[in-house]
Amino acid sequence: MTETLPTQAQAVIIGGGVVGCSIAYHLTKLGWTDIVLLERMQLTSGTTWHAAGLIGQLRGSPNMTALAKYTAELYLGLEEETGQATGFRQTGSLYIASDDERMEELKRMASMAKVFDLRVDVIDPSEIKAHYPPMDVDDLVGGLFVPSDGQASPVDVSMALAKGARMAGAKVIEGVKVTDILRQDGRVAGVVTDQGDIQANVVVNAAGMWAREVGLMAGVAVPLHACEHFYVVTEKIPGLPDDLPVMREQDACAYYKGEAGALLVGAFEPNAKPWGMDGIPEDFCFDELPEDLEHFMPVLEGAMKRVPLLQETGIRKFFCGPESFTPDDRYHLGEAPELPGFYVAAGLNSIGIQSAGGIGKVLASWIVDGHAPFDLWEVDIRRNELFQNNARYLKERVSETLGLLYDNHFPYRQYATSRGVRTTPFWDQWRDLGACFGEGAGWERPNWFAPKGVKPAYEYSFKRQNWFEHSAAEHQATREGVALYDLSGFTKFLVQGPDAEATLQRISAGDMAVEEGRLVYTQWLNERAGIEADLTVIRLGETVFQVTGGSTTRTRDWNWLTRNIAEDRCVATDQTPGIAVLGVMGPKSRELLQRLTPADMSNEAFPFATSREIEFGFGYVRAARVSFVGELGWELHVTADMARHVLASVLEAGADLGVVPAGMHAMESCRLEKAFRHWGHDISDEDSPIQGGLMFACKPDKGLDFIGRDALLRLRDAGAPKRRLVQFKLLDAEPMLYHNEPIFRDGQVVGRLTSAGYGHTLGASIGLGYIAGEGGVTANFIKAGSYEIEVAGERFEADASLRAMYDPTGERMRG
């Protein structure tokens, strides 16, 4: 029976893979029944049908693990609910390590799993052998076992989700191709198909490897590209246990899954093969790609060593099929910033089956409630920049990101492909000074500087990496002398017009009614008092303001600003690329800058949180006295055409003062010692200023309403928060903290670190993290407990404080 195509719906979902089916299913659970899911060919015929069906819950972060954990729990009861088999079996899964670095990563992941009560066993080679008898374990150092993991049939899971959606009233229609996206009054209005139009206020792009093309129809960037994904299925193996766990040997780029008496061996090889550069064939449906045994052979040879019985087993099926990957190995989720009402759930990077349940649940909630149910920034579609949707950029980058799924996930790992896209005006000067560049939102920024004779390149490890001492010297120069930072990637929006002050007052929790030349640190809140943005605002004139935010949140911040300007008599302009920013930081910064300007840089004439345009060298800069490192310092904002001159002048004038260039690693270690918050790690749209310790920056009593004020006041009146951000310092100077380590209070897990690094002045690893307490987290509560941070299975004592452990009064940067 063929479904009739309706002309109107609450929501249209494009794509009949497991993700699209999950979204339809979960929308019905929230009471939306007027839903239409459209599939261009047949359900699962793109990528889902050939997925390996691995159900693994242990991901690289707590929230992604939470989504995968929910997915496994959903699949457990889906067959009983719908009557449709899913093939889900909890056989468990193994992660094995053949060297100490991999084992360190696995043990850190096992520690993280304690935050949300996922059982993960750290096991030795003999225990691995007991779980997986066919395996050769002689060269292994250990591994992990996750008992509640398993495997499922991707097609059957999708059909069960689709059936569940249909049972609740949703329409699932195959053989209908979406050819365009309808727009009206600045938002989505429906879809155009080859069989007629459907009007809808919500459209979801769950089109898998077609999602970029569908995004372009809507004027929305969805950066992803297909790659060839290989696996083989062996002949039947006599005596092969039916309950073998899924096994991942990431060091050999391979995974293994039992397949009805045979073994499926798949690969995530280091140098992947992008596919579909000339477009996906119009008739693509359950298609396979040509074999490439030569490309797969290194993985197959490794598999025969790891599971020796494969040396005597034939291959029944060699498979190659396309799957989509993104520039950062994280999927795209949420409402598109370019088009209200147009949602995206795509770019699953080979984890679609194991994450689809959670994705469907949170996106359905996002659609119905108008906001994400919790912090999903790491997969938010708004993290992307337009250039990342460039086809050539994507082709180069995904050739790397597929392999990075199984490579060691070292801290500070940098991409090697599609680099040099965005350079600051200082780039070649930094290069000549020995910069080792890192990438942030495409910006090439110095992360650390190599002394003469040292190669500016990373040597990765979970211990102290090769740049540790060099960055420590930059940190010390910042604390004791003067250091230079490239801050040009900061977003810089100009807001101007008669209503500029009123607009920013409504959006900002701080008070914008300040005199010209004042700088205000503030947050933008949502209606729930969650922090949507963390930034500074400079009043340049009566009707002109500059908003400065983080480099990686430009798209998100711009989206929040422009959507909230509404009909106000003001306009916003993104001037980020045209303005370079040089940070001059440290106790000798005043002395250095005074040599280059006739302006009075004294504390009395140029106090903290002041911004002025001053003569500088042979030109002018806007100097803003503000600091993210906790020392006396200024940010020099200069047009790109004069930036090189400014840096050269500062380097020359500061030579006898010992001025040094410093990188992002030194800035991070300085800000952690000062307990300065970082949006996206320490604060997010689910954290209030009260929880984040930022009420000093909010002015709910300023006499004007602002977004989130009522919720903020309710939270304030409710008393001490039950969850609050705290600073920690290990008592042992050796262990390295990176973030996501569990926090123990009196032996019980009470939270996790949201960001962490080494504090060179304090002499140990420092972290920020939320802890929970039913009676409220107060200074007395903090003092009453004893704290430990777990690192790779070992607990280390830590001091805890609500105040910054370095210069808690802020005297150094205000003096």
Side-chain angles (χ1 to χ4, degrees):
M1 174 179 161
T2 304
E3 291 251 29
T4 302
L5 194 72
T7 58
Q8 193 166 345
Q10 276 182 292
V12 174
I13 301 167
I14 306 169
V18 67
V19 171
C21 293
S22 178
I23 295 165
Y25 170 87
H26 284 92
L27 278 173
T28 65
K29 292 294 184 183
L30 295 179
W32 282 33
T33 56
D34 186 15
I35 300 162
V36 178
L37 185 152
L38 301 176
E39 164 54 44
R40 58 182 289 277
M41 289 290 189
Q42 295 174 246
L43 294 182
T44 77
S45 63
T47 295
T48 297
W49 74 276
H50 64 71
L54 314 183
I55 309 299
Q57 301 164 84
L58 192 58
R59 309 302 308 157
S61 72
N63 282 345
M64 295 303 99
T65 300
L67 296 189
K69 188 169 182 279
Y70 167 79
T71 298
E73 293 164 354
L74 172 69
Y75 293 171
L76 267 176
L78 195 57
E79 182 173 342
E80 181 179 352
E81 176 190 347
T82 64
Q84 166 69 48
T86 62
F88 182 50
R89 295 189 300 145
Q90 284 185 303
T91 56
S93 68
L94 279 170
Y95 296 78
I96 62 174
S98 53
D99 61 43
D100 291 338
E101 288 284 15
R102 176 67 71 181
M103 196 63 213
E104 170 93 357
E105 177 182 6
L106 294 182
K107 288 193 291 186
R108 284 176 176 266
M109 292 176 68
S111 291
M112 181 191 71
K114 294 179 181 179
V115 175
F116 34 83
D117 199 28
L118 175 65
R119 178 186 163 188
V120 177
D121 300 331
V122 179
I123 58 178
D124 62 27
S126 65
E127 294 170 299
I128 294 172
K129 184 73 172 179
H131 283 297
Y132 211 100
M135 191 193 313
D136 182 349
V137 301
D138 289 346
D139 63 334
L140 298 183
V141 297
L144 303 181
F145 180 64
V146 187
S148 57
D149 279 356
Q151 54 187 281
S153 164
V155 172
D156 290 340
V157 166
S158 303
M159 294 303 179
L161 290 166
K163 184 176 180 181
R166 282 191 177 110
M167 289 165 59
K171 290 183 171 62
V172 179
I173 308 176
E174 299 177 299
V176 179
K177 181 181 179 181
V178 172
T179 59
D180 205 357
I181 305 298
L182 295 173
R183 286 171 275 183
Q184 185 176 348
D185 299 328
R187 62 169 294 117
V188 77
V191 299
V192 177
T193 80
D194 56 4
Q195 297 179 34
D197 298 355
I198 305 177
Q199 304 288 325
N201 290 327
V202 170
V203 174
V204 182
N205 179 1
M209 58 185 170
W210 290 270
R212 179 176 179 270
E213 178 184 343
V214 171
L216 291 173
M217 296 177 191
V220 170
V222 186
L224 55 80
H225 197 297
C227 283
E228 298 183 22
H229 182 204
F230 299 87
Y231 60 72
V232 297
V233 181
T234 70
E235 299 286 357
K236 297 273 188 179
I237 301 174
L240 187 74
D242 185 53
D243 60 349
L244 281 180
V246 170
M247 190 263 283
R248 296 171 178 86
E249 185 179 11
Q250 294 159 302
D251 292 324
C253 313
Y255 61 85
Y256 302 71
K257 185 191 83 162
E259 187 85 354
L263 275 182
L264 181 153
V265 182
F268 289 106
E269 68 278 18
N271 298 303
K273 296 177 65 177
W275 177 82
M277 282 70 73
D278 298 324
I280 302 171
E282 183 66 24
D283 60 353
F284 189 99
C285 182
F286 297 111
D287 284 16
E288 298 184 29
L289 305 182
E291 298 179 2
D292 189 343
L293 188 57
E294 182 180 354
H295 182 80
F296 188 74
M297 186 52 71
V299 173
L300 191 57
E301 289 173 346
M304 289 188 287
K305 293 178 182 178
R306 180 59 61 205
V307 183
L309 59 79
L310 292 177
Q311 298 172 20
E312 304 169 0
T313 305
I315 295 176
R316 174 165 55 89
K317 174 70 174 178
F318 187 104
F319 180 82
C320 177
E323 295 190 26
S324 59
F325 290 81
T326 66
D328 57 6
D329 267 339
R330 292 180 277 150
Y331 49 81
H332 302 312
L333 196 65
E335 187 176 22
E338 303 93 331
L339 187 63
F342 187 84
Y343 290 81
V344 178
L348 272 297
N349 303 285
S350 264
I351 60 167
I353 300 301
Q354 60 190 292
S355 299
I359 290 171
K361 181 179 175 64
V362 297
L363 191 65
S365 175
W366 200 329
I367 291 168
V368 172
D369 296 335
H371 59 82
F374 52 83
D375 176 24
L376 291 167
W377 170 239
E378 63 189 291
V379 292
D380 195 316
I381 187 73
R382 292 172 292 176
R383 75 185 184 278
N384 297 302
E385 294 284 335
L386 177 60
F387 77 87
Q388 294 174 311
N389 208 37
N390 175 280
R392 181 183 170 196
Y393 170 92
L394 287 167
K395 174 181 176 293
E396 295 295 325
R397 176 56 65 85
V398 299
S399 68
E400 177 184 14
T401 56
L402 180 148
L404 289 178
L405 286 175
Y406 271 18
D407 208 336
N408 281 87
H409 299 91
F410 289 117
Y412 313 110
R413 179 72 182 258
Q414 301 296 317
Y415 294 107
T417 54
S418 300
R419 292 292 298 272
V421 180
R422 306 173 90 178
T423 56
T424 77
F426 307 124
W427 183 86
D428 58 342
Q429 293 168 292
W430 298 134
R431 177 200 59 198
D432 294 344
L433 290 168
C436 182
F437 291 96
E439 178 197 343
W443 289 105
E444 297 289 335
R445 306 180 298 184
N447 276 353
W448 57 279
F449 285 83
K452 288 184 179 179
V454 176
K455 184 179 180 181
Y458 280 91
E459 295 174 11
Y460 295 113
S461 168
F462 285 98
K463 307 299 183 185
R464 299 183 182 187
Q465 296 185 8
N466 63 313
W467 50 266
F468 183 86
E469 295 299 334
H470 309 315
S471 186
E474 298 165 21
H475 178 113
Q476 182 179 7
T478 306
R479 293 281 186 245
E480 300 177 2
V482 58
L484 307 180
Y485 291 89
D486 190 347
L487 310 177
S488 304
F490 282 0
T491 59
K492 297 165 284 284
F493 305 146
L494 205 62
V495 181
Q496 53 189 331
D499 292 342
E501 179 186 307
T503 296
L504 289 173
Q505 287 281 42
R506 188 180 68 252
I507 298 173
S508 307
D511 190 358
M512 300 297 107
V514 295
E515 63 186 24
E516 183 178 334
R518 293 298 295 173
L519 181 148
V520 180
Y521 171 54
T522 190
Q523 287 77 43
W524 290 346
L525 308 183
N526 54 44
E527 295 289 358
R528 305 169 307 285
I531 301 171
E532 292 286 343
D534 181 68
L535 29 77
T536 59
V537 179
I538 303 172
R539 185 162 204 158
L540 303 180
E542 183 179 354
T543 60
V544 186
F545 296 78
Q546 178 181 299
V547 176
T548 304
S551 59
T552 59
T553 57
R554 189 197 67 84
T555 302
R556 181 193 179 99
D557 293 347
W558 178 258
N559 178 240
W560 189 262
L561 173 63
T562 54
R563 287 195 183 187
N564 281 293
I565 283 180
E567 303 300 319
D568 295 352
R569 296 175 300 158
C570 66
V571 295
T573 307
D574 184 358
Q575 55 180 3
T576 301
I579 305 294
V581 183
L582 180 67
V584 184
M585 302 291 161
K588 296 182 181 179
S589 58
R590 177 180 285 122
E591 181 181 355
L592 171 54
L593 294 178
Q594 193 66 77
R595 297 177 178 184
L596 292 162
T597 179
D600 186 350
M601 305 300 286
S602 69
N603 196 45
E604 295 74 23
F606 209 135
F608 184 76
T610 300
S611 172
R612 295 203 183 110
E613 189 171 74
I614 62 174
E615 289 187 33
F616 197 88
F618 293 143
Y620 288 85
V621 303
R622 173 162 288 279
R625 190 171 164 199
V626 65
S627 172
F628 198 50
V629 297
E631 300 293 338
L632 174 69
W634 280 262
E635 294 177 359
L636 306 182
H637 295 236
V638 56
T639 54
D641 58 325
M642 297 198 67
R644 289 172 51 82
H645 164 65
V646 168
L647 176 54
S649 299
V650 172
L651 287 168
E652 182 181 2
D656 65 314
L657 296 176
V659 64
V660 302
M664 293 297 105
H665 294 331
M667 174 170 279
E668 177 72 357
S669 65
C670 287
R671 78 96 185 168
L672 282 167
E673 289 188 330
K674 274 293 293 173
F676 287 154
R677 280 58 168 151
H678 184 281
W679 195 94
H681 286 94
D682 311 309
I683 48 177
S684 72
D685 56 5
E686 69 172 336
D687 305 311
S688 73
I690 297 173
Q691 295 167 320
L694 294 172
M695 275 301 286
F696 70 90
C698 300
K699 310 298 179 188
D701 301 316
K702 64 184 179 182
L704 294 171
D705 198 8
F706 58 83
I707 298 171
R709 177 177 178 269
D710 291 345
L712 185 63
L713 289 173
R714 285 195 298 271
L715 291 172
R716 187 183 70 178
D717 294 343
K722 296 182 179 180
R723 176 176 171 271
R724 194 165 179 185
L725 193 66
V726 178
Q727 186 184 36
F728 297 89
K729 180 176 81 74
L730 296 187
L731 302 188
D732 188 329
E734 280 304 308
M736 298 297 292
L737 299 176
Y738 296 115
H739 79 287
N740 286 336
E741 293 89 351
I743 302 165
F744 288 80
R745 182 180 188 271
D746 298 336
Q748 300 296 316
V749 176
V750 291
R752 66 178 177 88
L753 296 184
T754 52
S755 62
Y758 202 87
H760 298 286
T761 302
L762 294 177
S765 283
I766 307 296
L768 297 176
Y770 288 91
I771 66 172
E774 277 302 312
V777 180
T778 63
N780 288 335
F781 176 85
I782 299 296
K783 291 177 183 178
S786 61
Y787 297 89
E788 297 170 302
I789 309 295
E790 182 169 310
V791 181
E794 186 177 356
R795 296 187 199 175
F796 295 91
E797 291 183 55
D799 287 333
S801 175
L802 287 176
R803 301 184 74 199
M805 296 181 183
Y806 177 81
D807 187 28
T809 63
E811 292 180 7
R812 294 181 64 87
M813 67 180 183
R814 295 176 185 274

